[in-house]
Every structure is written in C-alpha cells, then in structure tokens.
Amino acid sequence: MADALYRFALFRVSNRDIAWDITQECFLKLLEYQTLGKPVHNERALLYAMARNAIIDHWRQRERRQTVDIEKIAFTIADGNDLHEQVVFTNEVALTLNLVRQLPDRQQEIILLRYVNDLPFADIATITGKNIIAVRVEAHRAIKKLKALHAVPHGSR
C-alpha cells in the first residue's frame, strides 16, 4: 500500500523526497485517526484522499507545475532482469505517461488512481468527492481520448 501511495504522489509532484514526505504524512495521519478512535471505514480511500489533499497543498505553495522524469520513476515500475524487455517496457511507460500528461488534470488523476493504483471506482469517487457515475464517465472519456491520442502519428503531436 505504501509503494502505491508513494508512486501516486511521485507522479503528481515529480520529486522523490516530497513524495516520500507526503506518503509518510498520510500514514501518520491515519495512525492519528486510529489512535483518537475516529472511525475509518476505508483506509485505502482515506489515505489516497489525504495524499490528494497534500499534493494540492504542495502545488498551492509552489505555484508552478512540474513533469515527471520517467527515468526517475522507472525503477519503481519495472522489476525484470531482461535488459531488452526493460527498455521496451520503459519506452511503453514513457509513451503512456506522455499521453496521460496530455489529459486534463482531473482525468489524469482518475486514470492514475484507477489503472496505476488499481482502486475501485467507489474509492475514487470518495477520494475526489464526485459521485461514482461521474467518475466512471470521466474515466471512459479519458480512455477514449488516450486511444485517440495514441492513434495520432508521433510526429504530429
């Protein structure tokens, strides 16, 4: 769970140290919730909601956008021994992440939560504060847009 939350934060803030701080902060807050006896019905959804809020706070403080350097996160994604397979995989990840970055922020977030962190739509709805149908529709639109972007020749973008 910590690795998935870390990757989620890393994708959004593009800095290993900040992503690690956000991840730690979320688990500390969860522990605080539990220590105070506050009811936690879905720990995973709560952790992602806390991470999302911490990321928003981070960007509000920084007042600028950054992008992820694929080489910095490739080690967290690929875990094989075949160099050729790693290179192909890294290229596919780079292409996919590049396409995802072309989506609006709300769609990027939903795609990341759903397909990278494998969260159910109900949890994503809780995290984003939207209803589950709106999240499903947004995910569908994002996938449709990704397919359209992928169909465009690479030099035409």
Side-chain angles (χ1 to χ4, degrees):
M1 181 66 210
D3 288 341
L5 194 65
Y6 170 77
R7 283 191 305 269
F8 173 72
L10 182 60
F11 184 83
R12 303 301 288 181
V13 299
S14 304
N15 181 301
R16 290 181 189 174
D17 294 331
I18 294 170
W20 182 245
D21 289 345
I22 288 171
T23 304
Q24 286 181 324
E25 179 183 325
C26 292
F27 278 99
L28 286 173
K29 284 182 180 179
L30 177 64
L31 182 62
E32 184 180 316
Y33 266 71
Q34 293 168 338
T35 303
L36 295 173
K38 293 181 181 178
V40 177
H41 302 292
N42 187 335
E43 286 182 1
R44 183 170 55 176
L46 178 62
L47 283 168
Y48 276 98
M50 287 188 286
R52 179 178 184 260
N53 291 337
I55 291 164
I56 290 169
D57 290 345
H58 165 75
W59 284 116
R60 282 183 183 148
Q61 291 171 358
R62 300 278 308 255
E63 294 183 2
R64 65 182 173 90
R65 287 256 178 225
Q66 294 180 357
T67 57
V68 170
D69 180 0
I70 190 64
E71 273 102 45
K72 288 182 181 177
I73 65 165
F75 75 94
T76 64
I77 299 170
D79 190 32
N81 293 327
D82 182 6
L83 182 60
H84 174 72
E85 186 177 304
Q86 287 180 356
V87 169
V88 169
F89 181 77
T90 301
N91 287 341
E92 288 174 10
V93 169
L95 173 64
T96 303
L97 289 176
N98 194 23
L99 293 175
V100 169
R101 281 191 204 104
Q102 295 177 42
L103 297 173
D105 284 345
R106 68 185 186 286
Q107 289 182 350
Q108 285 184 36
E109 184 174 52
I110 290 171
I111 292 297
L112 184 64
L113 290 169
R114 177 69 179 154
Y115 299 103
V116 175
N117 293 311
D118 200 29
L119 293 178
F121 286 115
D123 288 356
I124 297 170
T126 301
I127 292 165
T128 59
K130 299 184 183 301
N131 96 24
I132 192 168
I133 295 170
V135 170
R136 286 178 188 261
V137 168
E138 200 66 44
H140 174 74
R141 288 179 181 158
I143 295 296
K144 189 174 178 182
K145 187 168 184 177
L146 285 172
K147 286 179 182 177
L149 288 170
H150 186 42
V152 175
H154 298 297
S156 301
R157 288 190 201 132

